[in-house]
Amino acid sequence: MVGDVVSPHSGASIYQQVAAILRARIAQGTYAPGSELPAEKDLVYEMAVGRDSVRDALALLRDEGLIIKRRGHRTRVSEPMVRTRIELSAKTIVAARMPTPEERVEYDVPAGVPMLTINGVPYPSDRYEAFTP
Amino acid sequence: MVGDVVSPHSGASIYQQVAAILRARIAQGTYAPGSELPAEKDLVYEMAVGRDSVRDALALLRDEGLIIKRRGHRTRVSEPMVRTRIELSAKTIVAARMPTPEERVEYDVPAGVPMLTINGVPYPSDRYEAFTP
DNA sequence: GTATATTTGTACGTATGTATA
DNA sequence: TTATACATACGTACAAATATA
């Protein structure tokens, strides 16, 4: 998808346009799972926007669980994880919510990954799912 | 919790310290569910930090589902919602993930609210939960 | 093993836009 | 209409983590 440009007449904000372009590239495999995205400064140059716009766009994709950002190295496209399946008993309530800061540390949950709760007990949803037998 | 201050010697970054202070105030009811937080500019003044630090802190709390930010409105503390319960059948897989941008629009999902998926069908987790009979 | 370069994170400033009151 | 409040977007600088020479 070379030649994508952001436009002030698109209706959407610049960072959302940048996010849409990157999201499309991920969806069509231009940026494959596990591969690296261009550095922020290169995206700033390519898209001809400010760093705020690029960073806001990347934050959006991170919060959607599409990419993994780590200080010191390049941003990568998330890879689907194998999920452990938890068998549900009777009279059980299953819900979802974002992790607390403590849970983020305790379970090593990346940004953009919610918790699946089974009778209130939290499980990182990128590694666990539940099923009824 | 008057007199809270951020410190450069705390080890944590400024915006995380601001977030921790606000999170504590929400937890202990200083900012009750449904009530308004101080305006960003007032937090900037009270905490004696830059606007970035306040905004990054608020974004963190929003992504944890603790507050609701709306343009033109003051930021409010989230109120727990009554959840519709969905009865699970046999051979059903329940998981959680963040919504896509399209789902955010279609289901009117606020930031910081994940989707509960039942056999791949998404439900906003602030309004739905599942149960086994 | 050390030093250097790269990359993202944090933090300040400023200005303008958009939605609401 | 005016004022308020949050959103977007540009800039700059330095810090921290990682990778590389």
Side-chain angles (χ1 to χ4, degrees):
Chain A
M1 194 175 278
V2 176
D4 296 322
V5 287
V6 298
S7 159
H9 309 298
S10 157
S13 56
I14 292 177
Y15 82 90
Q16 286 171 341
Q17 294 180 56
V18 172
I21 291 171
L22 298 177
R23 201 183 286 117
R25 289 180 183 174
I26 292 171
Q28 70 181 70
T30 304
Y31 302 145
S35 69
E36 292 178 342
L37 265 65
E40 290 179 358
K41 68 171 181 58
D42 295 328
L43 290 173
V44 164
Y45 177 79
E46 183 205 342
M47 309 276 185
V49 298
R51 193 182 177 204
D52 258 18
S53 298
V54 166
R55 284 190 60 78
D56 287 352
L58 292 176
L60 205 56
L61 301 186
R62 178 201 62 198
D63 291 343
E64 291 169 12
L66 289 178
I67 59 175
I68 304 288
K69 305 183 91 223
R70 282 172 58 197
R71 166 187 273 176
H73 66 80
R74 296 272 278 277
T75 297
R76 287 182 303 100
V77 180
S78 300
E79 296 182 85
M81 296 188 70
V82 178
R83 286 171 166 165
T84 301
R85 289 195 176 174
I86 303 170
E87 181 173 339
L88 297 171
S89 312
K91 314 289 184 193
T92 300
I93 295 177
V94 185
R97 60 168 172 75
M98 295 311 287
T100 64
E102 292 76 19
E103 288 170 343
R104 291 280 307 278
V105 174
E106 181 178 355
Y107 297 99
D108 191 29
V109 188
V113 174
M115 305 296 277
L116 188 70
T117 68
I118 301 176
N119 280 338
V121 180
Y123 298 87
S125 64
D126 60 342
R127 276 161 280 172
Y128 293 93
E129 62 188 12
F131 74 100
T132 55
Chain B
M1 193 177 276
V2 176
D4 296 323
V5 287
V6 298
S7 159
H9 310 297
S10 157
S13 56
I14 293 177
Y15 84 90
Q16 286 171 340
Q17 294 180 56
V18 171
I21 291 171
L22 297 177
R23 201 184 285 116
R25 290 180 184 173
I26 291 171
Q28 69 180 68
T30 304
Y31 301 145
S35 70
E36 291 176 343
L37 266 64
E40 289 179 357
K41 69 172 180 58
D42 294 327
L43 289 173
V44 165
Y45 177 79
E46 184 206 342
M47 309 276 185
V49 297
R51 178 137 196 252
D52 258 19
S53 297
V54 166
R55 283 191 62 78
D56 288 351
L58 292 176
L60 203 56
L61 301 186
R62 179 201 61 196
D63 291 342
E64 291 169 10
L66 288 179
I67 60 175
I68 305 288
K69 306 183 87 214
R70 283 171 58 197
R71 166 185 277 176
H73 276 264
R74 292 275 278 277
T75 297
R76 288 182 302 102
V77 180
S78 299
E79 296 181 85
M81 296 188 70
V82 178
R83 286 171 166 166
T84 301
R85 288 194 176 176
I86 303 171
E87 181 173 339
L88 297 172
S89 313
K91 314 289 184 192
T92 299
I93 295 178
V94 186
R97 60 167 173 74
M98 295 312 286
T100 65
E102 292 76 19
E103 289 170 345
R104 291 281 306 278
V105 173
E106 180 178 354
Y107 297 100
D108 192 29
V109 189
V113 174
M115 305 297 276
L116 188 70
T117 68
I118 301 176
N119 280 338
V121 180
Y123 298 87
S125 64
D126 60 343
R127 277 162 277 173
Y128 292 93
E129 61 188 13
F131 74 99
T132 55

